Amino acid sequence: MNAHRSVFRSRWLPWLAGFVLLLALLASVVAWLNLRGEEPLDETRSPKAADATVVARGAYLARAGNCMGCHGVAGRPEYAGGRGIETPFGTVYAPNITPDARTGIGTWSAAEFWRALHYGRSKDGRLLYPAFPYPSYTRITREDADALYAYLRTVPPVEQANRRHELPFPYNSQLSLAVWRALFFRPGTLQQQPDRSADWNRGRYLVDGLAHCAACHSSRNFLGGTSLNAEFAGGLMPDQAWYAPALADPKEAGVQQWTRQDIVSLLKDGVNAHAGVSGPMAEVVFSSTQYLDTGDLNAMADYLAGLAVRKTNRKRALGRASPDAMARGGRLYEQHCAECHGDKGQGTPSIYPALAGNRTVLLDSPNNLVQIVRWGGFLPSTAGNPRPFGMPPFGQVLSGDDIAAVTTHVRQSWGNSASAVSTFDVHRVR
């Protein structure tokens, strides 16, 4: 027996020792990658006092970043957190960022607030989940971070404890988060491009940084990281319910062929001659972009119009629906849709959108069309469009089979050529 043990040790101990050394090396690499570029907290740079101008600027920046979109819940105090952000890995709850000393960020310094935005670390140094889009916020300047901090110090403090994230193992561990950050996050700032205009550079700063547009409009891999060359290539929202169309593809949501005024109108009013916003983007316009000044809107338009065009790759087979399915969809369309959208899908200018050639209808992903049929389509109420027309929800009168049939009819009529929608597709859309 002792001889067998001795042989086992002589054979396997070197392998075991090598494995332990490899794990230690990998852990060191992950730790280094999480600390690269990170500077110690510099409390000497923290503002001693904030005047009204700085606070007003911080309020404007909070609008531009749509901070209330996650850190607020309808009917509850502003910035008190509590909204659940559903992801493929579980639910992350936005924290209380009011200046309450016990449950908010009342004891945070400006330097600690900057570290959260720039490095994705909490006050105690713990790593933050990227549902808080610090991969975009890392590009925010220290001056803007200080202005945001100054503004948040002025909002009424709310004592509301933060909810624990609902994440299963291993996603609830700091180790897995450290590995994710080592793979997909690197802190940094945007460098001015001297060969570009001041408007383009400002637009890039807003779109890529504070407005964090790429956080939704980019493809992500199975680990939740932005795929290589997938920025602005479109992707499902974190809750998998809506598809954020590609800003790099004019056939989806790209605006490269629009005038600057058309782009500004969509961001400010929620509608223009070409399109209207709905779903999560309607929330963004309602809560954020309609309040931006003309200079910033023009700058964003300049940058978005200059994005390199990349065609998205279709993944769904373009199979035609059966004659029976088209006939059923046609009957449902005539009964529920034709009165507003026209018997040929032509719509009514400035009132009801045309469905023939409609980019939302033709998206490879049917999610948005299914959601609009199920829950209704509502433009945001804005100063430029205070009483928008809306589409009522049909989820209470149409079954899953019905929604599949009518959306298929719309996607394959009047010259439209998009894949059929199955009942499974409808039920898959959360």
Side-chain angles (χ1 to χ4, degrees):
M1 180 66 72
N2 290 334
H4 285 299
R5 288 178 179 174
S6 176
V7 171
F8 175 82
R9 288 172 181 171
S10 63
R11 286 182 177 179
W12 294 105
L13 277 180
W15 289 98
L16 181 60
F19 180 69
V20 171
L21 286 173
L22 178 61
L23 286 180
L25 177 62
L26 289 174
S28 299
V29 170
V30 168
W32 176 80
L33 289 173
N34 271 270
L35 292 171
R36 60 181 168 178
E38 188 167 341
E39 300 175 354
L41 286 179
D42 184 2
E43 298 288 358
T44 62
R45 290 191 55 183
S46 299
K48 304 304 179 184
D51 61 24
T53 302
V54 173
V55 171
R57 175 164 179 76
Y60 176 83
L61 294 171
R63 282 283 197 186
N66 195 25
C67 301
M68 271 290 292
C70 288
H71 292 279
V73 177
R76 298 183 185 176
E78 293 187 344
Y79 299 108
R83 179 170 181 173
I85 302 166
E86 295 183 23
T87 77
F89 313 102
T91 303
V92 176
Y93 290 95
N96 181 346
I97 56 172
T98 71
D100 180 68
R102 194 176 72 85
T103 62
I105 59 171
T107 62
W108 287 46
S109 68
E112 289 165 340
F113 184 77
W114 156 253
R115 182 171 66 175
L117 294 175
H118 194 66
Y119 297 116
R121 289 185 183 274
S122 188
K123 176 182 171 65
D124 60 5
R126 288 176 62 83
L127 306 179
L128 297 172
Y129 286 94
F132 172 62
Y134 58 82
S136 297
Y137 290 164
T138 188
R139 302 178 175 98
I140 297 174
T141 65
R142 178 64 189 269
E143 291 73 22
D144 280 352
D146 287 345
L148 278 165
Y149 172 81
Y151 165 65
L152 291 174
R153 299 289 290 182
T154 68
V155 305
V158 178
E159 185 172 350
Q160 178 173 293
N162 294 314
R163 292 189 62 174
R164 292 179 62 87
H165 304 316
E166 296 174 1
L167 298 167
F169 182 82
Y171 310 118
N172 60 352
S173 72
Q174 287 280 291
L175 175 60
S176 62
L177 188 51
V179 172
W180 185 92
R181 287 164 54 99
L183 293 171
F184 302 115
F185 173 64
R186 185 169 186 174
T189 56
L190 285 178
Q191 301 298 320
Q192 292 283 309
Q193 299 292 320
D195 58 329
R196 295 283 194 164
S197 67
D199 269 357
W200 185 91
N201 277 287
R202 175 63 177 170
R204 178 181 177 225
Y205 175 73
L206 291 168
V207 170
D208 288 0
L210 197 59
H212 59 282
C213 302
C216 292
H217 289 276
S218 298
S219 301
R220 294 184 180 273
N221 56 35
F222 72 101
L223 292 175
T226 301
S227 303
L228 185 65
N229 297 323
E231 190 173 49
F232 301 123
L236 287 175
M237 297 286 287
D239 62 1
Q240 311 289 292
W242 291 82
Y243 174 77
L247 297 175
D249 188 349
K251 289 186 176 180
E252 290 204 5
V255 295
Q256 291 87 343
Q257 299 167 2
W258 291 6
T259 68
R260 298 298 187 272
Q261 186 53 53
D262 283 337
I263 305 171
V264 169
S265 295
L266 191 70
L267 294 173
K268 190 169 185 64
D269 302 331
V271 64
N272 63 19
H274 306 285
V277 298
S278 59
M281 191 61 199
E283 294 182 29
V284 171
V285 172
F286 178 76
S287 301
S288 176
T289 57
Q290 71 163 314
Y291 298 102
L292 300 187
D293 63 43
T294 302
D296 279 346
L297 289 173
N298 275 297
M300 293 176 70
D302 196 52
Y303 178 68
L304 290 169
L307 289 176
V309 173
R310 299 196 306 274
K311 301 295 184 181
T312 53
N313 296 320
R314 285 189 175 274
K315 299 180 179 65
R316 293 168 59 93
L318 296 176
R320 298 293 300 179
S322 68
D324 288 344
M326 288 295 290
R328 178 181 180 178
R331 289 192 297 270
L332 289 166
Y333 180 85
E334 183 178 358
Q335 180 181 357
H336 298 289
C337 316
E339 183 177 355
C340 295
H341 293 287
D343 57 352
K344 301 297 183 183
Q346 72 272 22
T348 302
S350 303
I351 301 177
Y352 304 117
L355 301 180
N358 186 296
R359 294 197 300 183
T360 297
V361 169
L362 294 172
L363 286 172
D364 188 50
S365 167
N367 285 45
N368 297 0
L369 185 59
V370 168
Q371 293 286 45
I372 290 171
V373 172
R374 178 184 284 156
W375 301 111
F378 302 99
L379 297 173
S381 176
T382 59
N385 190 30
R387 291 186 174 182
F389 288 88
M391 171 180 156
F394 287 92
Q396 75 274 30
V397 296
L398 298 181
S399 67
D401 291 339
D402 291 338
I403 294 175
V406 73
T407 53
T408 294
H409 173 78
V410 169
R411 283 163 67 87
Q412 298 192 349
S413 297
W414 322 302
N416 289 344
S417 180
S419 57
V421 180
S422 68
T423 302
F424 175 78
D425 290 329
V426 174
H427 289 303
R428 179 181 53 81
V429 177
R430 296 171 60 182

